[in-house]
Amino acid sequence: MKKAKTETETKGKIMKNKLVIMLIASCLVSGTALADDDCTDPVSQWQPRDQLRQMIEDKGWKVKQIKVDDGCYKVKGVDRKGNRIKATFFPASLKIRELKIKFDQSADASDYLDLATPMTSESNKQKNKPKVTID
């Protein structure tokens, strides 16, 4: 009887250890994935928010909010045609990192095609390629 109890306890401990190892591994992997979403520009090289606001308003956008999140400038606003926009910019270069647009029924994406730099075979290898989402 003692032997059966010992085997059960051993199997239970092994199972708990596997679960703990899987939990730790998943946390490490997800932490690495989350870190890739952050901007890494040194704060000493950041451009002022007012400069970003002016650049965006020159494109005809109405800015509702500019905030810092994960080391990036996050912008919410409306374009000149009334489409809602959310954009992320690198704070040092003010280059667009990610753009999300909620288009109205009659809108099109042609106004946004010049925001990202053209992709060449060399720039396809870059880590910080802009992302665009169109709804």
Side-chain angles (χ1 to χ4, degrees):
M1 191 74 163
K2 242 183 184 181
K3 186 176 182 180
K5 189 175 181 182
T6 307
E7 283 181 31
T8 306
E9 287 176 356
T10 304
K11 286 181 182 179
K13 287 180 182 179
I14 290 172
M15 194 64 147
K16 285 181 186 178
N17 287 341
K18 284 183 180 180
L19 288 173
V20 169
I21 290 170
M22 288 173 39
L23 177 66
I24 291 171
S26 68
C27 289
L28 292 174
V29 169
S30 65
T32 303
L34 291 174
D36 288 345
D37 291 345
D38 300 347
C39 294
T40 58
D41 297 339
V43 176
S44 62
Q45 295 177 4
W46 286 21
Q47 302 296 320
R49 288 185 204 196
D50 290 337
Q51 188 173 346
L52 176 62
R53 179 181 296 276
Q54 186 62 49
M55 181 182 84
I56 292 170
E57 288 176 350
D58 288 347
K59 288 198 175 288
W61 296 4
K62 181 180 178 185
V63 177
K64 292 184 177 181
Q65 179 185 43
I66 298 177
K67 68 177 186 175
V68 176
D69 187 25
D70 293 331
C72 303
Y73 282 139
K74 305 273 181 161
V75 178
K76 289 183 181 180
V78 178
D79 70 5
R80 65 178 163 256
K81 294 182 180 177
N83 302 307
R84 290 181 291 165
I85 56 167
K86 290 182 181 179
T88 305
F89 292 85
F90 292 102
S93 64
L94 298 183
K95 288 185 179 181
I96 196 158
R97 183 173 184 277
E98 184 175 3
L99 175 64
K100 294 182 181 182
I101 309 162
K102 290 238 180 203
F103 284 106
D104 289 336
Q105 302 286 354
S106 62
D108 69 56
S110 62
D111 289 341
Y112 297 95
L113 297 178
D114 66 339
L115 289 177
T117 55
M119 298 302 283
T120 62
S121 60
E122 187 175 309
S123 64
N124 280 337
K125 298 174 186 173
Q126 292 176 336
K127 182 180 177 184
N128 294 327
K129 294 182 282 188
K131 299 179 210 170
V132 177
T133 304
I134 300 173
D135 290 331

